[in-house]
Structure formats: C-alpha cells, structure tokens
Amino acid sequence: MKKILGIFFIYIVFVLQVAAQQERQKLYHPEADAQSEIQAAVEKAKKERKHVFIQIGGNWCVWCLRFNELVTGNDTLKNYIQRNYEVVHVNYSQENKNEAVLASLEYPQRFGFPVFVILNEKGNRIHTQNSAYLEEGKGHSAKKVLEFLENWSPTALDPKSYKQ
C-alpha cells in the first residue's frame, strides 16, 4: 500500500510540474492581436499616467521566460512595474512574427530576444532596450533591470522631477 501511495504521490508531483511548465510556456500568444493589445495598454497607461512596457519574444526563448520569471518573482521589480507600466507581451515565432507591429516599433528584433520597447502614455516609442545589457550569469540582473525601468519611468522623464 505504501508503494502505491508513493507512486501516486510521484505521479501527482510530475503532473503538477508539467502543468506549471505548460502554463509558463504560454507567456506569448501567437494568435493574439498584438496591435490591439498595445493600443489597449496605451489607453490604460494614459489614464493611469504610466508608460507601456513591451516585451517581445516567444515561448521558444529561454531568456524570455527567465526574464519574466525574474520580474514576476522579485517583489521589488514586480511592484515597480505595476506602479509604472502597462505590460504587453508580443509574440515573435514561426506561427506569427508580428512583422507589421515590429515595423511600427522600428524593428526592435535587430537586438535579439527578449527585446523591450517603452512607449509613453501617447503611444510614442521612447526607448528600445537590448536585453543583453541586463544579463548576469544565466539570467538577468535584478539591479540592472530595476535601473533600466527607473530610467524610463514616467517620473524619470517628467521635467517637474528636475526642478529645484
């Protein structure tokens, strides 16, 4: 009986790990209308005085998934992003390269994946970030990512922040 319970327990753990892996791999959606999602994020950002953070990549990209794990698993980064940005994940894969969207963002894919684009509350591109500069070891540096996010936040670009 103990042997059967042990096997059942191992099976449940395996099923849960597979389910978590499949959920994590669904960060990017090839079927999504990226342009509509970006427009909705811009509208929301305008109302909430935020910027739009676009993460471009694919479920095939281990660095894309690692970056997402960092920013969703690190409370400092997660909270900072929630306060300052509307986030959109734009798919780039064989199923959908989102070529028109990437052209409108001035071809950020030239930097590899993931690549990040910051839009202001009007929907204008204000920065494209090569994620390689944020890497550390087999992932991304929380310190470098936070510095990047702070440097392109609405507050950082607000002239009132610099008046004495």
Side-chain angles (χ1 to χ4, degrees), residues 29-48:
H29 299 279
E31 73 285 355
D33 181 347
Q35 189 60 50
S36 293
E37 289 183 356
I38 291 169
Q39 188 57 44
V42 167
E43 290 171 16
K44 190 171 181 188
K46 187 173 186 173
K47 290 176 188 172
E48 298 181 10

Side-chain angles (χ1 to χ4, degrees), residues 79-146:
N79 293 333
Y80 193 85
I81 289 173
Q82 287 174 347
R83 284 191 313 271
N84 293 281
Y85 295 94
E86 289 301 317
V87 178
V88 179
H89 292 92
V90 173
N91 181 75
Y92 181 90
S93 68
Q94 291 295 84
E95 298 89 1
N96 185 357
K97 293 183 179 180
N98 278 303
E99 291 171 326
V101 170
L102 297 182
S104 74
L105 297 172
E106 300 182 22
Y107 307 98
Q109 68 269 37
R110 68 188 182 275
F111 296 113
F113 300 99
V115 62
F116 313 118
V117 176
I118 306 293
L119 306 179
N120 66 14
E121 71 283 351
K122 296 176 184 172
N124 298 323
R125 184 184 66 83
I126 56 175
H127 185 67
T128 300
Q129 179 66 44
N130 179 339
S131 67
Y133 297 123
L134 307 175
E135 291 176 7
E136 184 175 84
K138 294 185 178 185
H140 296 88
S141 162
K143 180 181 176 189
K144 290 177 186 178
V145 170
L146 182 59

